[in-house]
């Protein structure tokens, strides 16, 4: 998962970054609204976390501009202002959720997960395909009830496939979500990860190869009929 954080308070920004990194989320930080808008224009994010009190622009104006740029990425507003008017205003301008500072870490993570999941069209925490279940909350993948033991990097990569089940994900998208352009390794690393994941899947499910390779384009997590 890759998140854009627009927050001018360096300490708050650093704290949130740490919380997100612990969850294996790639985070890009902007300290000004203008820079954030620029990042949102150039990169693909799963979520934008936006502080309302920014030095160069009102947060609601930032939301309005993001939406007018046809950026439909979910926006979670973080603000020290608990006033109902502010919340209603931000929601009216097109933000998707609102959290007042100080907030609980677990609540932040839960809201992020729910927003991202919903934006990909899933109302549940569990993504199913065939005999496989991906639990986005516990980050546990099972096949016929048996746990598929993935490393945190493998899970992060697999989660991207799961959230876009049935769609091709190319190497650039994988790299973006796993490394966000920082110390980015070569695309070959994605093939290595996928190969490892496949081998693990094969042990639990020798008959079904859940991951499909689209030569020269990327990988797909197959959208299979769910077996009861
Ligand atoms: Ca601020």
């Amino acid at each position: 998962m890759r998140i854009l954080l627009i927050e001018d308070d360096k300490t708050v920004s650093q704290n949130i970054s740490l919380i997100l990194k612990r969850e294996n989320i790639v985070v890009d930080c902007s300290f000004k609204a203008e820079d954030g808008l620029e990042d949102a224009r150039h990169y693909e994010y799963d979520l934008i976390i936006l502080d309302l009190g920014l030095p160069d622009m009102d947060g609601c104006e930032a939301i309005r501009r993001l939406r007018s740029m046809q950026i439909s990425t979910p926006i979670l507003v973080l603000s020290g202002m608990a006033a109902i008017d502010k919340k209603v205003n931000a929601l009216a301008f097109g933000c998707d959720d609102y959290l007042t500072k100080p907030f609980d870490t677990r609540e932040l993570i839960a809201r992020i997960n729910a927003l991202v999941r919903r934006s990909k069209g899933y109302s549940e925490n569990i993504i199913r395909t065939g005999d496989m279940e991906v639990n986005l909350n516990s980050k546990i993948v099972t096949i016929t009830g048996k746990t598929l033991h993935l490393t945190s990097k493998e899970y992060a990569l697999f989660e991207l496939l799961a959230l876009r089940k049935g769609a091709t994900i190319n190497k650039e998208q994988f790299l973006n979500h796993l490394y966000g352009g920082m110390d980015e390794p070569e695309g070959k690393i994605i093939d290595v990860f996928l190969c490892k994941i496949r081998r693990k899947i094969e042990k639990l499910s020798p008959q079904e190869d859940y991951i499909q390779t689209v030569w020269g384009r990327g990988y797909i997590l197959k959208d299979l009929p769910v077996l009861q």
Side-chain angles (χ1 to χ4, degrees):
M1 198 190 290
R2 189 177 184 186
I3 287 180
L4 172 63
L5 170 63
I6 310 175
E7 162 67 75
D8 63 314
D9 184 320
K10 295 250 158 78
T11 314
V12 175
S13 173
Q14 227 167 26
N15 286 342
I16 295 175
S17 296
L18 279 175
I19 294 167
L20 299 182
K21 280 176 188 159
R22 251 186 267 136
E23 296 291 316
N24 264 303
I25 295 170
V26 172
V27 51
D28 293 353
C29 299
S30 292
F31 303 102
K32 283 185 186 167
E34 286 289 2
D35 297 342
L37 293 178
E38 200 58 28
D39 281 344
R41 211 193 312 261
H42 286 110
Y43 305 102
E44 194 186 316
Y45 293 102
D46 296 295
L47 180 88
I48 297 169
I49 300 178
L50 177 74
D51 172 33
L52 278 193
L54 293 163
D56 57 332
M57 195 186 295
D58 178 66
C60 286
E61 173 61 14
I63 297 170
R64 195 194 62 76
R65 289 208 198 174
L66 282 165
R67 293 309 183 220
S68 72
M69 292 191 297
Q70 308 301 319
I71 292 167
S72 56
T73 311
I75 300 172
L76 170 63
V77 161
L78 272 188
S79 174
M81 293 172 276
I84 296 291
D85 281 1
K86 275 282 173 192
K87 290 187 188 181
V88 171
N89 217 0
L91 289 163
F93 273 98
C95 88
D96 300 272
D97 203 356
Y98 197 113
L99 205 53
T100 308
K101 295 185 228 176
F103 53 85
D104 182 88
T105 303
R106 289 164 307 166
E107 187 179 359
L108 173 68
I109 298 298
R111 283 180 190 255
I112 288 172
N113 285 334
L115 283 167
V116 171
R117 167 167 58 76
R118 281 205 299 269
S119 76
K120 314 276 183 200
Y122 296 103
S123 54
E124 268 193 297
N125 281 320
I126 295 172
I127 296 174
R128 295 182 176 89
T129 177
D131 273 336
M132 179 185 280
E133 288 192 357
V134 182
N135 188 315
L136 299 169
N137 272 7
S138 62
K139 300 187 189 294
I140 290 173
V141 182
T142 58
I143 299 173
T144 57
K146 287 177 226 141
T147 305
L148 180 70
H149 294 282
L150 300 175
T151 64
S152 54
K153 267 278 191 284
E154 286 167 359
Y155 177 82
L157 188 150
F158 195 74
E159 189 188 62
L160 181 60
L161 278 172
L163 283 168
R164 305 199 191 165
K165 183 178 69 168
T168 311
I169 311 290
N170 64 38
K171 285 186 194 171
E172 202 187 330
Q173 288 171 301
F174 280 119
L175 289 172
N176 265 334
H177 282 261
L178 289 178
Y179 303 97
M182 300 286 283
D183 309 316
E184 203 167 271
E186 284 183 49
K188 200 104 200 92
I189 189 96
I190 301 302
D191 299 323
V192 175
F193 276 131
L194 258 308
C195 183
K196 285 184 182 167
I197 297 171
R198 270 186 160 145
R199 245 181 260 150
K200 291 180 179 182
I201 292 176
E202 209 181 283
K203 280 188 190 155
L204 294 184
S205 171
Q207 308 84 3
E208 184 59 67
D209 181 14
Y210 284 90
I211 299 170
Q212 184 188 336
T213 308
V214 187
W215 291 109
R217 288 191 48 215
Y219 296 92
I220 298 176
L221 177 65
K222 292 184 196 169
D223 192 0
L224 301 167
V226 174
L227 308 170
Q228 297 302 326

